Amino acid sequence: QPKHQALCRNILWWKTRLPGVTILMAKFDVDSAYKIVWLCVDDVGLFATELPGEDLDLVMSVLCLYLVLTFGWNGSPGEYMAFAWFEKLLYQSYKPALPTWHDSVAFHCKTLMDDKCVVEPDVGVRVPLANHTAEKCIRRVFGPNSINAVKELEEGTFESVKINWGIIYDTIMDTLSYPEVKIQKIKFILKTAEFHDGRRQVALKNIQRLAGNIQPASVACAQLQPELGATYALMGADHGGSTNVQPKGSEAEVLALWAEFEESLEAMIVLTETPKAWVAHFTSGLKNVLSARERL
């Protein structure tokens, strides 16, 4: 799966190749992605489930047979990505016919599950060509009705500002930022009572919820990246079936883990508490996600 660094690298590569040219982005979503991939007939029985008949106003129970991949099977992402990767390679096998007007570079995309991000320079008619080719390849691999029409109206237009995989990209300002509504969610989670007053009875699900929201935010807010370690240290402990976090180690080691986590909470609160400072704290340059070598 591609990371945000790869998408930033793609944008900056085009800006370096074609200085002064506006770089545009679009997103294409495969509708009901898993349900497009059919199961082998011999495997259908493994995906069967029984429902109580009273929910359907029936006396007997009902046996449901799934003929396609389900969202409940942990193997579904890998099975789906085999098709998504083929569609990606098919799309990248095309390029515009007139390089004098549209550049000689083949089309390229970054595909995260069913979200396909396309980055193109606004030269000639390369953008509409890329749009047509992207849709054609999705339909060719997944079927004529496989494009999510609703999301295409919202995200399918090529623009210089676009939310890609939860992060706002701006190719004119060369920035990426975290949406305010998601920062508000982090602020709310940090007010969980278990995280304060030196408490040591903390539910594992609350630590997981915090980590799940902080990790994507750290893409735009580099200050959060060092704080992730303290959160992961608690989340990755051997909990022995308990619903609460139970760090292992000597008494001194456990106390050190909790102390580090509490310091991290304080840092997170400072970053999220003041809405007026969100633009500064949760906005970063595209170049900042690259390695030092890549920046040079």
Side-chain angles (χ1 to χ4, degrees):
Q1 298 294 301
K3 297 182 179 180
H4 284 283
Q5 288 90 334
L7 193 56
C8 292
R9 189 181 300 119
N10 193 189
I11 294 170
L12 293 171
W13 185 89
W14 272 119
K15 293 178 77 78
T16 303
R17 181 177 178 85
L18 301 175
V21 174
T22 302
I23 308 301
L24 304 175
M25 304 166 290
K27 249 174 56 176
F28 299 87
D29 184 84
V30 178
D31 191 20
S32 302
Y34 290 174
K35 295 180 181 179
I36 291 178
V37 182
W38 291 81
L39 296 174
C40 171
V41 174
D42 292 340
D43 294 337
V44 169
L46 299 174
F47 292 82
T49 186
E50 192 175 29
L51 296 178
E54 55 264 24
D55 292 342
L56 303 173
D57 294 328
L58 298 173
V59 177
M60 71 291 289
S61 296
V62 177
L63 182 66
C64 296
L65 299 177
Y66 292 92
L67 305 181
V68 294
L69 287 179
T70 65
F71 283 87
W73 180 46
N74 61 6
S76 292
E79 293 292 330
Y80 169 78
M81 279 308 297
F83 293 86
W85 196 258
F86 172 66
E87 189 278 326
K88 168 187 169 71
L89 295 178
L90 177 63
Y91 173 70
Q92 294 181 167
S93 68
Y94 289 92
K95 62 181 179 181
L98 300 174
T100 303
W101 291 99
H102 312 125
D103 205 330
S104 59
V105 181
F107 295 134
H108 187 76
C109 68
K110 301 294 181 185
T111 301
L112 182 68
M113 291 307 296
D114 57 338
D115 282 337
K116 172 179 178 176
C117 293
V118 176
V119 178
E120 289 293 341
D122 190 15
V123 292
V125 291
R126 185 181 173 99
V127 167
L129 286 174
N131 184 85
H132 170 76
T133 306
E135 293 183 352
K136 179 178 72 173
C137 291
I138 291 175
R139 291 191 175 101
R140 185 174 179 183
V141 173
F142 294 108
N145 300 316
S146 55
I147 294 180
N148 191 321
V150 176
K151 284 195 174 181
E152 185 176 23
L153 290 175
E154 297 175 354
E155 305 172 339
T157 304
F158 277 85
E159 300 169 308
S160 61
V161 179
K162 181 77 67 178
I163 296 180
N164 296 316
W165 310 331
I167 303 292
I168 303 173
Y169 282 76
D170 189 328
T171 63
I172 294 179
M173 300 299 294
D174 283 354
T175 60
L176 46 83
S177 56
Y178 204 53
E180 288 191 359
V181 63
K182 294 189 176 183
I183 302 175
Q184 290 173 346
K185 185 176 181 180
I186 296 174
K187 181 180 178 181
F188 176 78
I189 292 173
L190 288 171
K191 293 185 181 298
T192 301
E194 292 180 344
F195 292 157
H196 304 285
D197 302 326
R199 300 188 187 185
R200 296 293 183 265
Q201 296 297 315
V202 179
L204 174 60
K205 66 178 182 180
N206 287 332
I207 297 292
Q208 293 172 331
R209 186 180 295 118
L210 176 63
N213 283 271
I214 291 297
Q215 194 281 325
S218 68
V219 176
C221 180
Q223 298 96 314
L224 285 174
Q225 293 176 9
E227 314 307 335
L228 277 169
T231 307
Y232 287 153
L234 291 181
M235 188 172 65
D238 181 11
H239 305 290
S242 173
T243 57
N244 290 333
V245 173
Q246 293 183 339
K248 301 300 180 182
S250 65
E251 183 179 355
E253 290 172 337
V254 171
L255 288 175
L257 279 176
W258 282 112
E260 186 177 4
F261 177 67
E262 289 169 359
E263 291 177 0
S264 294
L265 287 176
E266 291 178 7
M268 295 176 194
I269 291 171
V270 169
L271 292 171
T272 59
E273 189 64 27
T274 309
K276 291 182 179 180
W278 287 352
V279 173
H281 291 162
F282 290 87
T283 301
S284 178
L286 295 179
K287 296 178 183 178
N288 291 343
V289 304
L290 303 181
S291 66
R293 183 183 182 89
E294 287 175 321
R295 296 184 206 180
L296 292 173

